[in-house]
Amino acid sequence: NQLSIDADTDAPAYAEVIDPETGEIIAEEEFTGETTMSIPEEGDYEVYIYTESGTVMAGEFSVE
């Protein structure tokens, strides 16, 4: 139940994990380089990563 993110850069970034069914933010963290976030429950989620330069990356994943 761990989501690891490696941005491969030393620039600050912000990540948030959202439950798409409810819109609830499950986890969020500001980080530099890499981070590991705990996802407490099974389900389908969306992750958004925002960089200081304005880039937004998005993805989907499932916790079983």
Side-chain angles (χ1 to χ4, degrees):
N1 297 6
Q2 301 289 317
L3 172 64
S4 295
I5 300 171
D6 185 348
D8 200 28
T9 180
D10 290 333
Y14 170 78
E16 64 183 11
V17 176
I18 296 175
D19 180 337
E21 289 185 11
T22 64
E24 179 184 359
I25 296 174
I26 303 300
E28 59 184 328
E29 187 170 328
E30 219 172 294
F31 68 97
T32 301
E34 61 185 69
T35 187
T36 301
M37 303 166 79
S38 178
I39 311 301
E41 294 184 21
E42 293 182 355
D44 296 323
Y45 298 96
E46 296 175 348
V47 59
Y48 295 92
I49 303 168
Y50 304 90
T51 66
E52 197 172 60
S53 64
T55 302
V56 179
M57 293 164 273
E60 298 175 346
F61 66 97
S62 297
V63 174
E64 297 179 355

